[in-house]
Amino acid sequence: MTESNSAGSGFPTAVAVAAAVGAGERSAVEVLDEHLSRVEADDERIRAFNLVTAEQARERAATIDAAVAAGQDVGPLAGVPIAIKDNMCTRGIPTTCSSKILEDWVPPYNATVIDKLDRAGAVVVGKTNLDEFAMGSSTENSAFGPTRNPLDPSRVPGGSSGGSAAAVAAGFAPVALGSDTGGSIRQPAALCGLVGVKPTYGAVSRYGLVAFASSLDQIGPLAHTVADAAAVFDVIAGSDDHDSTSIPQELEPMVPVLGDGVEGLRVGILNELSGRNLDAFEPEVVQAAANAADALAAAGAKVDEVSVPSAVAGLSAYYMIAPAEASSNLARYDGVRYGLRRDGANTAAMMRASRTAGFGDEVKRRIMLGTYALSAGYYDAFYGKAQHIRTIMIREFDRVYQDFDVLISPTSPCVAFEFGAKADPITMYYNDVCTIPSNLTGQPAMSVPFGTGAHGLPVGVQILAPMLGEANMFRAAAILERSAR
Amino acid sequence: MPESQSKPRDHLTTEDVAKVAHLAMLDLTDEELERFTGQLDAVLDLAEQLDRFDIADVPPTAHPFGLFNVFRPDVPIEELEGASRAEQLREEALAAGPEVEAHQYKVPPALGEAP
């Protein structure tokens, strides 16, 4: 596979930066300054970052340059600036989840992914905006105000990892980390014309990721190119003693498989999520997924249509399960050990006042929904039933993956939409209809830019794969990337 | 498909939502109570789609990957890294507390009210 030095955007790729810095051809400080100058020029308008850590980043870049000068191997991401979604803990650096309740919280430890990036030579440039506690699909739910889509500032960048997507799309960093509970990496990647990966549940440690829905959350990369996403994935993936849900086995690296092609790969067009029979899908989006299947067939893949009937129930099951887990996870914000505290005459009143002042509307809705779905008398009808549907989905996908290696669908039903266009919660939830099934099954999925839709905005195509099926997923992604150019 | 088995559910009332808000330790204004009741009820409508599936012989899934325990050595941190390190970690954790006194988190009275 040919390695271009720059993405379609014209910004340098992470792979190119790491090669140049590692070889001593470019200094990490110079690379960093180039990116920080774009932040300075544009981020007042884009608002991708909650916090830019310029000073720490400069120190870190200088350390890398010194190590390169001393002849040391500084790692596969040598000098690569990276933006971090502000729901991953960074020691000594505020981690807010874009919520008033954590506005002033400074974590005493690093998330495992941060330590791994550090050991790989990456340079964290800042913490990016998100929908409060990652609940949303547009960043409009951030307590600190929304992020703008760099491709069209009148539109959202998607969410909840919208700040990370915008930071990469605007050239503030070649790569970023997001988290994906129902599509929060893949949908903003699609809306900003980027590659976004939701790894197999357990492939990347969640230690230090502020929990939203623990059985669905997973950290992954956003990047301009498939090769950059693979390089970051290889660094952050792997088992971790600090996360009891991390998969305790060696994972295959993705960078070596990118040039393998798709000869003989069995590709299924996922009928229920194709959008063909769903009115909310834009025609260009439906067409892009069909074109992607054609492109894979042209490259030697065997393409057929396939049905997963329960996939349509994903959205319903998700909105019982995710809020239930969230209501439990967010019980810890009580004004006692960290975060916002409001005065109250007794402990209970203090807790109520703190939570009421600290959480935004969407977070309150989901906490209440989850509390209801878990409460006596309703458990079986809502949360319990959704857990059974989850099993049905896993079984149906497992059966399909006996005959197929990867599946194809659109990522998002529409291109980037205007601010306020989906003010009704249900309308917003529906945006995640294609991405949610992979979170419920735990299976990996990624979005790759493939053509343009309405208003010339980018369209994302989703590639889904079975548990730990990332290699085939990345192989297909590399072919789609090449065909799209 | 047991579609006919499920009877229509009762719609959420503001009383239901007030009770849930109480359980979730959230205070709602009257306007919020009205608004959230309609919005939450609309989400519960989504659950009707789940009735289209026969779940009789299907076990529930709480988690996508077989859960297993991951053990680390059960050794006090003093033994691992020395007493001063344990002290330092404790202070770092307490530093995030809104109110701390004598190495403990301080809260208003749990029973009764502050004078």
Side-chain angles (χ1 to χ4, degrees):
Chain A
M1 179 179 165
T2 53
E3 208 65 273
S4 68
N5 278 340
S6 71
S9 59
F11 300 121
T13 67
V15 170
V17 166
V21 170
E25 291 158 12
R26 287 197 74 186
S27 90
V29 170
E30 175 196 315
V31 169
L32 174 69
D33 283 340
E34 186 184 296
H35 287 88
L36 288 178
S37 69
R38 281 195 286 269
V39 174
E40 212 162 294
D42 290 337
D43 200 41
E44 205 171 319
R45 184 173 57 100
I46 303 293
R47 303 175 59 136
F49 286 102
N50 284 343
L51 179 71
V52 178
T53 53
E55 198 179 318
Q56 291 99 322
R58 283 211 178 85
E59 275 173 34
R60 171 90 186 114
T63 308
I64 289 162
D65 285 336
V68 172
Q72 292 168 21
D73 178 4
V74 285
L77 297 178
V80 174
I82 187 164
I84 306 293
K85 188 177 184 179
D86 203 13
N87 63 349
M88 295 175 215
C89 292
T90 40
R91 182 182 168 84
I93 296 168
T95 298
T96 70
C97 293
S98 289
S99 178
K100 281 185 187 152
I101 213 156
L102 282 179
E103 193 166 2
D104 299 318
W105 185 55
V106 179
Y109 69 104
N110 272 341
T112 296
V113 289
I114 301 295
D115 284 338
K116 286 190 165 192
L117 288 172
D118 207 47
R119 288 196 293 273
V123 177
V124 171
V125 292
K127 306 297 291 290
T128 59
N129 196 18
L130 61 148
D131 288 292
E132 184 177 2
F133 283 103
M135 298 176 187
S137 311
S138 68
T139 74
E140 289 168 295
N141 292 334
S142 166
F144 311 139
T147 296
R148 294 177 181 280
N149 190 323
L151 306 177
D152 178 348
S154 70
R155 292 169 188 273
V156 304
S160 64
S161 311
S164 285
V168 175
F172 299 160
V175 285
L177 289 189
S179 66
D180 190 314
T181 305
S184 281
I185 291 171
R186 292 162 283 163
Q187 185 257 17
L191 271 47
C192 289
L194 304 174
V195 176
V197 181
K198 197 289 279 186
T200 300
Y201 184 86
V204 177
S205 171
R206 291 185 298 112
Y207 180 71
L209 169 67
V210 177
F212 160 16
S214 307
S215 81
L216 306 167
D217 300 337
Q218 192 58 188
I219 294 171
L222 294 108
H224 283 290
T225 67
V226 175
D228 278 3
V232 174
F233 174 83
D234 286 351
V235 164
I236 61 173
S239 72
D240 178 15
D241 287 346
H242 288 102
D243 176 4
S244 65
T245 61
S246 122
I247 298 170
Q249 68 185 61
E250 282 290 311
L251 301 181
E252 182 190 358
M254 293 302 127
V255 169
V257 311
L258 295 178
D260 285 358
V262 292
E263 187 69 46
L265 195 76
R266 302 167 303 171
V267 177
I269 300 169
L270 187 44
N271 237 318
E272 284 74 10
L273 302 182
S274 70
R276 281 178 300 213
N277 306 314
L278 301 163
D279 19 317
F281 279 64
E282 293 174 357
E284 298 91 343
V285 165
V286 177
Q287 190 58 46
N291 293 349
D294 290 346
L296 292 170
K302 290 189 276 187
V303 180
D304 209 345
E305 300 210 356
V306 62
S307 176
V308 180
S310 62
V312 296
L315 192 72
S316 304
Y318 179 87
Y319 277 99
M320 302 301 124
I321 290 171
E325 293 188 18
S327 71
S328 170
N329 275 325
L330 272 61
R332 70 186 56 153
Y333 303 104
D334 56 10
V336 175
R337 289 152 300 160
Y338 37 70
L340 183 79
R341 174 183 289 193
R342 285 276 187 272
D343 290 337
N346 55 40
T347 305
M350 178 278 286
M351 289 177 176
R352 307 181 73 83
S354 302
R355 288 167 64 79
T356 300
F359 291 135
D361 279 2
E362 182 61 21
V363 175
K364 286 176 181 168
R365 272 193 289 273
R366 299 213 195 180
I367 289 174
M368 290 192 289
L369 190 61
T371 305
Y372 183 79
L374 289 173
S375 61
Y378 300 103
Y379 181 96
D380 288 335
F382 296 110
Y383 181 70
K385 199 178 282 169
Q387 286 194 311
H388 291 277
I389 302 295
R390 199 170 179 185
T391 307
I392 292 175
M393 288 184 67
I394 290 170
R395 287 177 177 178
E396 286 184 3
F397 273 102
D398 281 350
R399 204 185 57 232
V400 163
Y401 283 126
Q402 289 174 6
D403 300 319
F404 291 89
D405 299 307
V406 297
L407 306 177
I408 295 277
S409 84
T411 304
S412 159
C414 58
V415 296
F417 46 91
E418 290 178 326
F419 290 96
K422 296 178 191 288
D424 167 52
I426 300 276
T427 312
M428 187 70 87
Y429 296 173
Y430 191 74
N431 209 260
D432 294 334
V433 67
C434 291
T435 47
I436 276 173
S438 303
N439 297 88
L440 289 170
T441 61
Q443 293 159 350
M446 68 191 283
S447 182
V448 186
F450 202 79
T452 51
H455 316 288
L457 290 163
V459 171
V461 166
Q462 182 176 226
I463 308 167
L464 304 88
M467 292 306 253
L468 296 175
E470 271 92 349
N472 285 334
M473 184 176 83
F474 271 100
R475 284 169 61 199
I479 292 296
L480 288 188
E481 179 177 61
R482 221 187 294 173
S483 325
R485 276 181 190 163
Chain B
M1 293 290 182
E3 195 143 10
S4 57
Q5 286 175 14
S6 61
K7 56 179 192 310
R9 68 178 174 87
D10 295 328
H11 284 279
L12 276 185
T13 62
T14 50
E15 287 75 29
D16 294 329
V17 175
K19 187 183 166 201
V20 167
H22 176 78
L23 291 172
M25 304 205 77
L26 296 169
D27 294 324
L28 302 184
T29 64
D30 290 345
E31 182 275 323
E32 285 172 330
L33 193 58
E34 284 290 335
R35 184 158 48 88
F36 286 147
T37 299
Q39 289 170 338
L40 296 179
D41 196 57
V43 183
L44 292 179
D45 278 344
L46 287 174
E48 279 166 23
Q49 198 170 28
L50 303 178
D51 293 333
R52 295 180 5 208
F53 293 85
D54 184 3
I55 59 167
D57 298 316
V58 182
T61 294
H63 202 274
F65 219 73
L67 273 180
F68 31 78
N69 271 325
V70 175
F71 297 105
R72 62 169 172 75
D74 186 18
V75 185
I77 206 154
E78 279 85 350
E79 240 169 81
L80 285 173
E81 308 186 64
S84 61
R85 174 72 181 138
E87 173 76 10
Q88 186 194 337
L89 288 173
R90 183 160 59 235
E91 291 313 311
E92 279 182 8
L94 285 166
E99 212 180 340
V100 173
E101 193 177 302
H103 310 294
Q104 294 168 80
Y105 298 115
K106 191 176 175 187
V107 293
L111 300 171
E113 295 197 349

